[in-house]
Amino acid sequence: MNFLKTKSAYLDTGVWANKAMKEAKGFGETICVASSKDKNYTYIPKGYVIPSDADYFHITTNNTIYGTEIRYDMDSPVSLIADMSSDFLSRPTDISKYDMVYGGAQKNIGPAGATFVLIKESFLSKIATETRHIPTMFNYKTHIENDSMFNTPPVMPIFTIKETLKWLKSIGGLKKMEAMNIEKAGILYNAIDSSSIFVGTAEAESRSLMNICFVLKPEYTEKENDFLDLCKAKGMSGLKGHRSVGGFRASTYNALPMESVLALVEAMKEFEKSL
Ligand SMILES: Cc1ncc(COP(=O)(O)O)c(C=O)c1O
């Protein structure tokens, strides 16, 4: 609504990417440069062409439901906009490559209720106020001009974000966070890859460090609930995969300690032995 004047470009890598593209269609021409829908979003497409006359190119850096992630800061011939809801602050990011980054706070930085939007000043001047009426509340300029207090801000979530950011700094910042995330996800992916009953759903080179999706091999699928029950008995819940993928999803966001990863790996081994 703020930036589409004549044409926009989208990379369709999952439900959230697709929903963003669907909304854009209501405001002008929208090009889908590539989609991984053909394989239930299990990979990040490559080798696509971004139209050089688009107002912006929109990506979703981490696809929460499918466990795929764009873990690099890409070059784009047009303004790059990224939904970073589920991997923001999980690694050092070259923010200069993006004209806008946005997301919900509720994965890595705080509780639900707060959102973050970063916009380059040069991009802000491109807001499409001459193309359409943008309601005051929806215009990003309104929030910048009012120091993010145009409406009553959710003070508790914002306070919690401040405390989380202090914690992030205290452990050594984003470099350290990335190293911890690589280690946690690595242990879990290794456990999946070396298992004779579990298998990962995302293509290896597109794998996310934040959401690790895996299923039981077809011959064991009927045992899915047994594994969830075993996890529950050990105090682990929320491991059921999204209904569109099935199986299991272990979210290893910044806040998840290594102990939790080790506990899950232990449970996976125990379950495998029991079969
Ligand atoms: C990448 C991504 N974008 C957007 C959303 C939507 O967030 P909300 O439910 O806060 O609108 C989610 C939620 O999981 C997400 O993972």
Side-chain angles (χ1 to χ4, degrees), residues 16-17 60-65 83-86 102 104 106-107 112 115 253:
W16 300 109
T60 302
T61 49
N62 186 68
N63 300 282
T64 324
I65 294 173
D83 171 356
M84 287 198 187
S85 291
S86 53
Y102 72 96
Q106 68 267 25
K107 269 78 174 188
T115 55
Y253 294 122

Side-chain angles (χ1 to χ4, degrees), residues 3 5 16 38 50 77 100 102 154 177 180 184 186 192 196 263:
F3 295 109
K5 288 178 183 161
W16 300 109
D38 57 337
I50 304 165
M100 176 168 149
Y102 72 96
M177 195 72 250
M180 288 162 73
K184 283 187 291 179
I192 294 166
S196 61

Side-chain angles (χ1 to χ4, degrees), residues 70-131:
I70 302 171
R71 270 215 301 132
Y72 50 88
D73 303 304
M74 65 172 71
D75 290 307
S76 164
V78 298
S79 293
L80 185 61
I81 300 184
D83 171 356
M84 287 198 187
S85 291
S86 53
D87 62 353
F88 189 58
L89 301 190
S90 65
R91 64 173 178 89
T93 303
D94 180 356
I95 207 74
S96 69
K97 301 241 172 154
Y98 303 84
D99 278 272
M100 176 168 149
V101 163
Y102 72 96
Q106 68 267 25
K107 269 78 174 188
N108 277 337
I109 66 167
T115 55
F116 57 88
V117 184
L118 314 176
I119 308 180
K120 257 190 203 156
E121 265 174 39
S122 55
F123 193 48
L124 198 62
S125 64
K126 295 186 181 160
I127 285 191
T129 30
E130 278 161 27
T131 311

